[in-house]
């Protein structure tokens, strides 16, 4: 990682691990790591409108204010496993920040931290495209939305 700027700009979300997330090697399976990233993304940005009930407020209310039916589609994931994520029956802290928000693309950075010593065990980056199925078009990120995201913007984890 090029800088530690993300430490000041990221929001930290807690995501519970499930006992069933372990693989035969005794650590959280790589597929379940992607689920942890998804749960952190929803905790940080909110439940997309029309896809569930937003009971707890989002830390950065972006998804919940998009037009009804807008989908946040994954265009790309990049994941670097720094060391195994061991199962513990306590939530893991996941740092989430914005790498970039331009046109119709939102790029997010992530760090999953070990619940024992707080060290990063996974670094990841996800690129999202905001898509409106009714019109079969991408939704452009507005100036107001970029302004909302600016305080949480930091360099890529890679």
């Amino acid at each position: 990682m090029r800088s530690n700027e993300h430490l000041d700009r990221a929001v930290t979300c807690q995501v519970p691990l499930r006992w069933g997330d372990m693989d035969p090697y005794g650590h959280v399976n790589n597929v379940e790591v992607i689920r942890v990233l998804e749960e952190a993304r929803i905790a940080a940005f909110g439940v997309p409108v029309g896809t569930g009930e937003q009971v707890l407020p989002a830390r950065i209310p972006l998804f919940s204010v998009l037009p009804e039916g807008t989908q946040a589609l994954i265009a790309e994931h990049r994941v670097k496993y720094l060391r195994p994520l061991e199962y513990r029956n306590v939530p893991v802290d996941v740092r989430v920040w914005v790498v970039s928000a331009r046109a119709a693309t939102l790029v997010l950075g992530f760090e999953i931290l070990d619940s024992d010593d707080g060290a990063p065990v996974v670094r990841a980056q996800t690129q999202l495209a905001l898509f409106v199925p009714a019109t079969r078009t991408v939704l452009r990120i507005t100036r107001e939305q970029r302004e909302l995201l600016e305080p949480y913007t930091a360099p890529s984890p890679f």
Side-chain angles (χ1 to χ4, degrees):
M1 179 168 301
R2 297 180 310 209
S3 81
N4 286 331
E5 187 178 349
H6 70 289
L7 297 176
D8 294 329
R9 295 187 166 242
V11 297
T12 300
C13 303
Q14 290 195 318
V15 178
L17 298 177
R18 303 174 303 186
W19 185 83
D21 292 344
M22 281 187 294
D23 62 18
Y25 300 114
H27 59 264
V28 176
N29 183 278
N30 62 24
V31 173
E32 297 305 329
V33 166
I34 299 298
R35 181 193 58 80
V36 169
L37 298 177
E38 177 182 53
E39 293 295 334
R41 185 174 70 246
I42 296 304
F45 295 98
V47 174
V49 174
T51 62
E53 188 175 352
Q54 182 79 46
V55 176
L56 296 175
R59 305 287 299 279
I60 308 165
L62 176 65
F63 292 167
S64 58
V65 299
L66 294 175
E68 181 84 26
T70 301
Q71 299 174 350
L73 301 179
I74 303 297
E76 182 178 325
H77 279 304
R78 182 174 175 195
V79 181
K80 182 168 182 92
Y81 299 92
L82 305 173
R83 65 184 210 209
L85 175 57
E86 301 293 336
Y87 169 80
R88 294 185 182 89
N89 65 346
V90 295
V92 292
D93 285 341
V94 182
R95 292 181 182 133
V96 184
W97 67 94
V98 175
V99 173
S100 66
R102 61 183 183 275
T105 302
L106 179 63
V107 179
L108 305 176
F110 298 88
E111 278 186 333
I112 300 175
L113 307 177
D114 187 295
S115 60
D116 185 44
D117 64 9
V121 296
V122 171
R123 287 196 176 110
Q125 185 168 293
T126 297
Q127 180 178 329
L128 301 164
L130 304 176
F131 180 71
V132 182
T135 59
R136 304 188 92 181
T137 59
V138 293
L139 181 69
R140 297 185 69 78
I141 297 171
T142 67
R143 180 178 49 80
E144 293 81 14
Q145 291 163 339
R146 282 193 299 278
E147 288 172 0
L148 169 72
L149 299 173
E150 196 282 325
Y152 309 99
T153 301
S156 168
F158 299 107

